[in-house]
Amino acid sequence: EIMKSKGCQPDIQACNAVLAAFAKSGEVSGAYRFFERIKGEYGLTPNTISYTTLMSVCEKSGDTEKIDTIFSDMSAAACQPSKVTFLTALKACKRNGRWTQALKYLSLLKSNGFEVDIKLYNAAMQSFHEKGESEQAKALYEEILAMKVVPNATTFCYLIQSFEKSKRNDWKTVFQILEQMKDQGISPDLRIYNAVVCVCETQGAWIEGAKRLTDYRRSIGDLD
């Protein structure tokens, strides 16, 4: 408004800065109104940063299903998504366990010619927890290895978490995953131990699970 009072027309960079402020505060309705002003009042064409920032507002506020619509609008406007666009969309799939949508975004990511790094894979891996899709999580982990992408502690944490709500009574598999971590030279941290404990507890294997976890920690010298 100050720019307008001085006779200066805002450009898309200035408008994106305003959208970023909405993203920081999580004001979805304000962000949408301003996004429409960009196209209408200011006569500007939103760019990749504009759409991605609007998606970020929705992701941070929990209005994650709106992101799919924004992504579709972005495609309809022939605006090329960036890696950050896909990362934002993938992070949003964690809410309500929207794992099928996460896999669709991964597929689109590849078809757009992007290389999928471990940060993007980890964002997708989070989506399996809510619905207990441990088999899907294992399949994605196998893809990570097949694509020669190096998993990290976060990868294994999300993989183990996918077993917490699984109906397969497959809690013993998390100890196989711990062994795979050891083979990868990755030391478990508190997040991973907590994830293992949660899996064993929810699947009714608290006592045996606690014993196995103690034995494992002794085997890697993590317990006196």
Side-chain angles (χ1 to χ4, degrees), residues 27-101:
E27 294 182 38
V28 178
S29 59
Y32 266 97
R33 286 195 300 270
F34 187 75
F35 190 82
E36 291 305 314
R37 288 180 68 186
I38 292 174
K39 296 184 290 182
E41 181 179 340
Y42 302 134
L44 299 172
T45 301
N47 60 16
T48 301
I49 295 174
S50 311
Y51 282 103
T52 303
T53 306
L54 186 60
M55 291 167 66
S56 180
V57 177
C58 296
E59 190 267 324
K60 290 177 180 176
S61 67
D63 292 331
T64 52
E65 292 190 8
K66 289 182 179 178
I67 289 176
D68 298 339
T69 302
I70 298 169
F71 197 96
S72 296
D73 291 345
M74 189 177 185
S75 299
C79 187
Q80 182 70 21
S82 66
K83 266 193 172 184
V84 177
T85 309
F86 282 107
L87 181 61
T88 304
L90 285 167
K91 284 181 177 178
C93 292
K94 175 184 177 181
R95 187 178 291 268
N96 300 324
R98 299 171 63 241
W99 63 271
T100 55
Q101 188 63 33

Side-chain angles (χ1 to χ4, degrees), residues 138-180:
K138 286 192 293 182
L140 186 62
Y141 174 70
E142 292 301 323
E143 178 182 320
I144 291 170
L145 298 182
M147 297 301 293
K148 308 298 182 185
V149 177
V150 180
N152 56 26
T154 300
T155 313
F156 286 105
C157 182
Y158 293 155
L159 176 58
I160 290 171
Q161 285 176 345
S162 72
F163 288 80
E164 183 181 346
K165 298 181 181 181
S166 171
K167 295 179 173 62
R168 295 176 178 273
N169 193 30
D170 47 5
W171 63 271
K172 292 180 181 178
T173 307
V174 301
F175 291 95
Q176 297 172 13
I177 295 170
L178 288 177
E179 292 298 328
Q180 291 174 28

Side-chain angles (χ1 to χ4, degrees), residues 111-130:
S111 65
N112 275 267
F114 291 109
E115 182 179 342
V116 187
D117 57 28
I118 196 59
K119 193 172 184 178
L120 290 159
Y121 272 124
N122 286 348
M125 187 72 79
Q126 290 184 87
S127 67
F128 301 118
H129 175 224
E130 184 65 29

